[in-house]
């Protein structure tokens, strides 16, 4: 049975019902405050602390780093207290109500100071699709089914949803012609799920897979923009560089694993004959049934048009395995570090999480309602990503991650 809030908008078809309560950071005047989304409102946690409704001092900080550093138990206790305040019939309802503001009036900020960013490649369907374009006879390299593949990204260029994305320039090469420098002509998006680290680990002390999720504060939507033509020329032998570091967009709200608990599912079923994960990656834990959706709005369109829908449960590696592998060499993670899943793609064409896959490297153009076609993104295109879980009448959403190419 769904819980009922005295915030009426939380009770009807909202991404942010009482069972969700994601954390975010917003600007109020000249200051940034931590808030919780409830329906079409934000509860200002700093104001609640000042009013004596909350006891967690980390609520008064301008980012979630301090709260995350205290571990999942601290965040769990705070979320439980906020749920008490917002539940229908709460005795402190009127005191809490004066600390609500409309979400549409808030300027959302990056929820964390992000010190480090890692991008993984955890979808076997995405890896197979991309590999078959460039290596038709050898789509997956021998390490893929043994090692959660990842690379270190650029934290300084992570931006909040709604930030416009300048088209990047770089070196590209066509055929056997000499390389040239100029704007990317094959700009793409990547639909991903991100995990923010809470309590970290010391240098030299790996995190065991069994306890890995206790180090995850919560999840968000990530759009890891990609310049495919720049990447094709630069990525060997060390991997992507300028093709990725120009911008990565994240959604403003951070959904806790506690809110996602009703949507846990068995981990991806490996094909018969696939190797078992090595012992340090077992047991791999559970997956999460998160619907992910991408829509595009061109400059000629009134509203975004959905172009794909996939599901995070299709990832070959679980979040617990990504954290355990990341730290297996002793690498230290800290509060606010962002780990992205890599493109979320399924087996069906309509579940592919990038234009590279949907238009199959430009050979199968995507048609928009206006009659326009896309093989890659044009200037003025807006990409809108959404994610949500839904089961037995309960919906827990992530909101949106938007970005317009300029």
């Amino acid at each position: 049975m769904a819980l009922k809030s005295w915030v009426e908008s939380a009770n009807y078809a909202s991404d942010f019902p009482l069972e969700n309560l994601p954390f975010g950071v917003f600007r109020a005047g000249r200051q940034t405050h931590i808030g919780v989304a409830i329906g079409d409102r934000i509860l200002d946690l700093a104001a609640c602390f000042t009013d004596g409704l909350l006891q967690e001092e980390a609520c008064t900080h301008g980012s979630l780093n301090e709260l995350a550093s205290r571990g999942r138990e601290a965040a769990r206790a705070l979320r439980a207290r906020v749920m008490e305040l917002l539940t229908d019939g709460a005795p402190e309802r009127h005191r809490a109500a004066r600390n609500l503001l409309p979400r549409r009036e808030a300027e959302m900020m990056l929820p964390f100071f992000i010190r480090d960013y890692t991008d993984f490649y955890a979808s076997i369907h995405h890896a197979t699709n991309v590999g078959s374009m460039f290596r038709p006879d050898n789509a997956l390299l021998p390490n893929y089914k043994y090692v959660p593949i990842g690379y270190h990204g650029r934290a300084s260029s992570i931006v909040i949803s709604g930030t416009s994305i300048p088209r990047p320039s770089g070196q590209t090469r066509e055929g056997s012609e000499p390389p040239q420098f100029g704007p990317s002509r094959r700009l793409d998006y990547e639909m991903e799920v991100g995990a923010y680290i809470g309590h970290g680990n010391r240098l030299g002390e790996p995190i065991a897979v069994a306890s890995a999720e206790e180090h995850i504060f919560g999840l968000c939507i990530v759009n890891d923009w990609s310049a495919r033509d720049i990447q094709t020329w630069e990525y060997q032998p060390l991997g992507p560089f300028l093709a990725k570091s120009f911008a990565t967009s994240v959604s403003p709200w951070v959904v806790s694993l506690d809110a996602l608990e009703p949507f846990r599912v068995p981990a991806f079923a490996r094909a018969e004959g696939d190797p078992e994960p090595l012992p340090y990656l077992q047991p791999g834990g559970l997956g999460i049934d998160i619907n992910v959706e991408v829509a595009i709005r061109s400059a000629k369109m009134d509203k975004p048009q959905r172009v794909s829908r996939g599901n995070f449960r299709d990832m070959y590696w679980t979040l617990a395995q990504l954290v355990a592998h990341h730290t297996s060499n002793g690498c230290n993670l800290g509060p606010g570090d962002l780990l992205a899943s890599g493109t979320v793609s399924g087996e069906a064409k309509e579940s592919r999480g990038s234009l590279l896959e949907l238009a199959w490297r430009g050979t199968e153009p995507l048609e928009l309602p206006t009659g326009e076609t896309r093989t890659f993104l044009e200037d003025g295109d807006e990409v809108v990503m959404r994610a949500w879980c839904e089961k037995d009448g309960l919906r827990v959403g992530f909101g949106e991650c938007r970005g317009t190419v300029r």
Side-chain angles (χ1 to χ4, degrees):
M1 182 177 178
L3 300 176
K4 187 176 181 181
S5 172
W6 51 264
V7 181
E8 286 299 322
S9 60
N11 300 323
Y12 307 103
S14 172
D15 265 1
F16 307 121
L18 192 58
E19 291 89 344
N20 191 351
L21 303 181
F23 292 97
V25 172
F26 67 97
R27 179 172 285 162
R30 295 184 178 180
Q31 295 184 326
T32 54
H33 289 188
I34 294 175
V36 161
I38 177 72
D40 62 0
R41 306 280 159 166
I42 297 175
L43 182 67
D44 185 335
L45 298 194
C48 288
F49 179 84
T50 301
D51 280 354
L53 294 170
L54 299 175
Q55 302 301 315
E56 177 55 74
E57 185 272 338
C59 290
T60 64
H61 290 243
S63 77
L64 291 171
N65 291 68
E66 179 61 28
L67 176 61
S69 72
R70 302 186 183 190
R72 277 187 65 184
E73 283 302 322
R76 185 176 289 129
L78 176 58
R79 180 173 171 272
R81 173 58 179 153
V82 171
M83 188 175 290
E84 286 180 3
L85 292 175
L86 295 173
T87 298
D88 193 36
E92 294 132 318
R93 165 183 174 172
H94 296 292
R95 290 174 63 197
R98 64 192 183 197
N99 297 320
L100 284 175
L101 71 153
R103 277 197 291 119
R104 66 177 181 274
E105 296 178 6
E107 179 187 1
M108 300 306 298
M109 315 295 290
L110 284 174
F112 285 91
F113 169 72
I114 302 171
R115 183 191 64 172
D116 275 320
Y117 166 50
T118 301
D119 190 32
F120 281 95
Y121 200 49
S123 166
I124 193 169
H125 300 302
H126 174 67
T128 301
N129 286 339
V130 175
S132 64
M133 294 177 197
F134 297 93
R135 300 181 304 273
D137 298 327
N138 189 26
L140 286 182
L141 296 177
N143 60 357
Y144 187 84
K145 294 180 179 181
Y146 289 94
V147 180
I149 303 297
Y151 74 94
H152 293 290
R154 182 74 185 175
S156 66
S157 54
I158 296 176
V159 297
I160 195 67
S161 172
T163 305
S164 61
I165 306 300
R167 181 175 295 274
S169 292
Q171 283 194 32
T172 61
R173 186 186 185 190
E174 295 293 336
S176 59
E177 295 294 319
Q180 298 188 4
F181 182 86
S184 169
R185 289 175 290 176
R186 297 178 183 172
L187 184 60
D188 200 359
Y189 60 81
E190 290 189 341
M191 171 76 224
E192 307 192 16
V193 172
Y196 287 107
I197 297 298
H199 176 64
N201 62 305
R202 294 181 179 179
L203 184 66
E205 298 182 1
I207 295 173
V209 68
S211 60
E213 287 194 357
E214 289 302 309
H215 294 264
I216 296 175
F217 181 82
L219 308 186
C220 68
I221 304 170
V222 174
N223 182 354
D224 193 31
W225 305 88
S226 297
R228 302 294 187 184
D229 45 358
I230 297 173
Q231 183 173 347
T232 299
W233 175 234
E234 75 175 3
Y235 85 103
Q236 293 179 332
L238 292 181
F241 183 44
L242 300 184
K244 293 281 194 177
S245 62
F246 63 95
T248 300
S249 299
V250 294
S251 56
W253 296 107
V254 185
V255 180
S256 70
L257 291 184
D258 292 320
L260 298 171
E261 195 59 37
F263 311 99
R264 302 310 294 262
V265 292
F268 181 81
R270 297 188 168 210
E272 186 177 350
D274 278 9
E276 287 290 319
L278 295 179
Y280 78 100
L281 295 173
Q282 291 196 55
L286 297 172
I288 312 177
D289 185 1
I290 306 174
N291 299 291
V292 297
E293 179 180 277
V294 181
I296 293 177
R297 182 182 63 84
S298 77
K300 297 180 180 180
M301 294 166 61
D302 294 329
K303 59 182 181 180
Q305 172 72 28
R306 189 182 78 199
V307 296
S308 72
R309 178 179 288 179
N311 197 291
F312 189 62
R313 67 183 171 219
D314 290 333
M315 307 306 277
Y316 196 76
W317 299 100
T318 66
L319 289 173
Q321 288 171 325
L322 299 186
V323 172
H325 181 68
H326 200 313
T327 64
S328 61
N329 67 343
C331 175
N332 53 321
L333 301 177
D337 284 4
L338 178 63
L339 276 58
S341 64
T343 303
V344 180
S345 290
E347 201 165 9
K349 180 175 182 178
E350 59 268 21
S351 64
R352 297 172 184 171
S354 68
L355 270 179
L356 178 68
E357 297 168 89
L358 278 174
W360 205 255
R361 207 183 178 189
T363 62
E364 301 174 13
L366 181 72
E367 186 167 344
L368 300 177
T370 55
E372 302 170 88
T373 59
R374 290 290 183 273
T375 53
F376 293 99
L377 295 170
E378 301 288 343
D379 291 346
D381 286 352
E382 181 183 35
V383 178
V384 183
M385 296 180 172
R386 302 182 180 95
W388 70 96
C389 303
E390 203 157 18
K391 179 182 179 182
D392 300 330
L394 173 62
R395 179 185 174 99
V396 169
F398 289 68
E400 294 181 339
C401 183
R402 291 176 173 259
T404 301
V405 179
R406 62 175 174 84

